Amino acid sequence: MGRVNEAPPPLRIGFVGSGFIAKFHLKAFQSVRHVQIAGVFSPTAAHREALAAAANAAELGPCAAYDSLDALLAAPDIDAIWLLAPNDRRLEVMRALHGAVKAGRSKIRAVACEKPLGRTLAEAREVLALAEDAGLAHGYLENQVFSTAVERGKEIIWRRAAPLAGRPYLARAAEEHSGPHEPWFWQGARQGGGVMSDMMCHSVEVGRFLLTAPDAPRDSLTVKAVQGSVANLKWTQARYAKALARDFKGVEMARHPVEDFARATITLEDEAGQELIVEASTSWSYVGAGLRIDLALLGPEYAMEFSSLNPGLKVFLSRAITGGPGEDLVEKQNAEQGLMPIVEDEAGIYGYVGENRHMVEAFRHGRTPIETFIDGVEVTKMVMALYKSAETGATVRLPDPSLETYVPVPARQDAVSTEA
């Protein structure tokens, strides 16, 4: 007989994917209890074996490297999948997981997926439908919602300020860096677009989250209209396009451009009919110390602000201190000299520790995460509406049935050019 209030066993996770984001999650899991990284699959043997070795070295295992997706899904010691593969492979993985669970070949009972849930709204809806049809618990991995600054700032604003002065009505979110690590991010058909698809999904969701009252259902706010714009500021210039083509095989920004700057204004409405606004901008053409995240929440008598490049820790390195390039101070680091900010706990500050802790405990205890595939679908819908607004130059009002089959221009053009 089990003991009263006996805790559920640790959650045993299988990674699908072994790239940059998988390594970030592995780092975050070192600060999460009740979890084992039990397996990893990616198409490249050296990469999956290296990630499994890293998990074992961090004492997060035992972790095995699997030579096929089917083998990982059929493993008897894996409870949940962390879907960290590139955007163009996520639907394929979900179809395989759905088939394995429905056929009784897999004991997996939960899945968490990195952002974005789909490259189009139709794709995101299918990912959600597959998870629900297979009876899988599901969580949408939007790390900025779990940022330590977001969690603490939102708690204070809604506890101390909103009850006295009224709810917040404006959220601002900006994320920018000098460009992605892998070639597929720059290919519209594979990634789903450009920086709007890659990073605006962060900004619109963290803005929506900050404006949502604590413990209120996520659908308590209704998106009414969006305005979006995109631009090609840097990477279509001849010398930068040439550099990308040299560094990343298959990336041809001159022939198949994707936007490197995007701006959004999203109008929402709360249960009382009050208008709320999310303002967001994202960029791959920012050259500073490294990745910059700026967030703000404003209300009638108060404001909250956060910038990831204004940490408490900084170092100064004179020109006499030389060395090779790296990312040991901040993600997407662009310099190694001068006065440099240091993000001392990237996995925590960016939200990866919080989101993984939350998902693990939700799946272990049978609770619904605060970010699910339903939220992933809503985020994809907002991003598709923003792309349509940028394409047409008009405000897109929701609901808009045309979004169900809409494909962003950079993804359409890239797909057509590639097939030709």
Side-chain angles (χ1 to χ4, degrees), residues 120-133:
T120 64
L121 182 55
E123 196 167 275
R125 286 201 190 281
E126 184 175 350
V127 169
L128 169 62
L130 289 167
E132 293 190 331
D133 186 63

Side-chain angles (χ1 to χ4, degrees), residues 279-317:
E279 290 183 337
S281 64
T282 56
S283 172
W284 288 342
S285 51
Y286 169 76
V287 179
L291 170 66
R292 184 177 77 92
I293 301 171
D294 277 3
L295 303 171
L297 182 64
L298 296 86
E301 298 291 340
Y302 53 85
M304 177 202 94
E305 297 179 3
F306 167 74
S307 176
S308 64
L309 289 185
N310 288 321
L313 179 62
K314 298 179 181 180
V315 297
F316 174 78
L317 301 174

Side-chain angles (χ1 to χ4, degrees), residues 229-250:
S229 61
V230 298
N232 297 94
L233 299 180
K234 176 179 179 179
W235 293 105
T236 51
Q237 295 183 38
R239 61 171 172 159
Y240 293 114
K242 185 177 180 180
L244 278 182
R246 181 195 64 227
D247 296 339
F248 296 129
K249 183 179 179 180

Side-chain angles (χ1 to χ4, degrees), residues 97-166:
L97 175 58
H98 171 269
V101 172
K102 295 285 282 187
R105 298 192 305 273
S106 177
K107 295 183 179 180
I108 290 166
R109 53 186 173 84
V111 57
C113 183
E114 257 297 335
K115 61 82 192 172
L117 196 64
R119 294 171 295 173
T120 64
L121 182 55
E123 196 167 275
R125 286 201 190 281
E126 184 175 350
V127 169
L128 169 62
L130 289 167
E132 293 190 331
D133 186 63
L136 295 167
H138 47 86
Y140 179 57
L141 295 172
E142 174 41 68
N143 58 285
Q144 287 190 20
V145 164
F146 298 92
S147 162
T148 51
V150 169
E151 290 187 328
R152 183 68 171 138
K154 177 177 177 176
E155 186 273 328
I156 292 172
I157 288 294
W158 281 92
R159 174 172 53 85
R160 291 182 62 90
L164 297 175

